[in-house]
Amino acid sequence: IAFFVSLFCCSSHLHTEERECGGVLDASKAGYITSPGYPLEYPPHQNCRWIIKAPEQSQRIILNFNPHFEIERLDCKYDFIEIRDGTSDSADVLGRHCSNIAPAPIISSGPSVQVRFVSDYAHQGAGFSLRYEIFKTGEQLNSENYLCLLTTLYRLKETGIFFLVLFVGQIDNKKKKG
């Protein structure tokens, strides 16, 4: 059994309360990180650092970005979001992003990931919102009997309308008798 879900004009969740800029987060339950002020302009002079940790060493973390993404786009020198594969400032960089195009999903190689958001004194934008959760591998997917096969995001620059196409398929664990 497979089905398609199409959403047009994806709206962002309005966050009016102040959010902490950084911290240590437990990925055992999915959660969200937003730039300060999101979806309104983020403030200048930010240097936020979040560490996301999975409870087990064998687990990995996946980050999915909201398509409403706007960070100053001057070569990612002044304002940016940076993802590192681990808790250390010297861990491998999985991505450094700016502009108005949300990054593709990012998956860590281990049980922790560092998210850093930096802004300078000028040119603020809406910022970012991302969802973090434990990445489910094949065995975990089979036990839950669902598989997300394809997520594709299209953004039409001229109209500002977002299209999200999500394909979800159910795995049939029954073996056919021959």
Side-chain angles (χ1 to χ4, degrees):
I1 299 172
F3 56 92
F4 282 93
V5 178
S6 295
L7 301 175
F8 298 97
C9 301
C10 297
S11 64
S12 58
H13 298 286
L14 295 176
H15 300 286
T16 54
E17 72 276 6
E18 284 295 315
R19 299 243 177 210
E20 190 172 328
C21 179
V24 178
L25 305 168
D26 180 2
S28 59
K29 290 186 179 180
Y32 293 88
I33 295 175
T34 63
S35 54
Y38 184 84
L40 304 175
E41 284 190 352
Y42 52 83
H45 307 292
Q46 297 296 297
N47 191 351
C48 308
R49 184 174 171 249
W50 295 269
I51 302 292
I52 307 167
K53 294 182 176 183
E56 297 177 23
Q57 286 295 321
S58 62
Q59 294 176 317
R60 299 187 299 164
I61 297 167
I62 184 167
L63 306 176
N64 287 295
F65 288 82
N66 184 309
H68 183 61
F69 184 92
E70 184 186 353
I71 298 175
E72 179 186 26
R73 56 178 121 173
L74 296 173
D75 298 323
C76 298
K77 288 181 182 177
Y78 307 108
D79 295 10
F80 58 86
I81 182 170
E82 182 178 79
I83 314 299
R84 290 191 177 264
D85 197 12
T87 59
S88 167
D89 288 337
S90 61
D92 290 342
V93 175
L94 296 175
R96 186 172 183 152
H97 303 280
C98 59
S99 81
N100 62 350
I101 299 171
I106 296 174
I107 302 169
S108 68
S109 67
S112 61
V113 68
Q114 179 186 144
V115 177
R116 186 169 161 232
F117 173 68
V118 172
S119 70
D120 68 353
Y121 65 92
H123 305 291
Q124 289 75 45
F128 73 92
S129 174
L130 67 82
R131 184 176 199 268
Y132 62 87
E133 63 185 310
I134 294 172
F135 178 69
K136 297 183 173 137
T137 60
E139 187 175 305
Q140 293 165 317
L141 286 169
N142 286 336
S143 68
E144 292 179 7
N145 208 30
Y146 289 99
L147 174 63
C148 178
L149 295 176
L150 176 65
T151 302
T152 308
L153 174 68
Y154 297 97
R155 182 174 189 273
L156 299 178
K157 290 183 181 180
E158 297 77 23
T159 62
I161 298 173
F162 296 98
F163 294 91
L164 176 66
V165 179
L166 174 66
F167 175 79
V168 179
Q170 185 173 13
I171 300 170
D172 186 3
N173 288 330
K174 298 176 187 174
K175 293 185 179 181
K176 294 184 178 181
K177 295 181 181 177

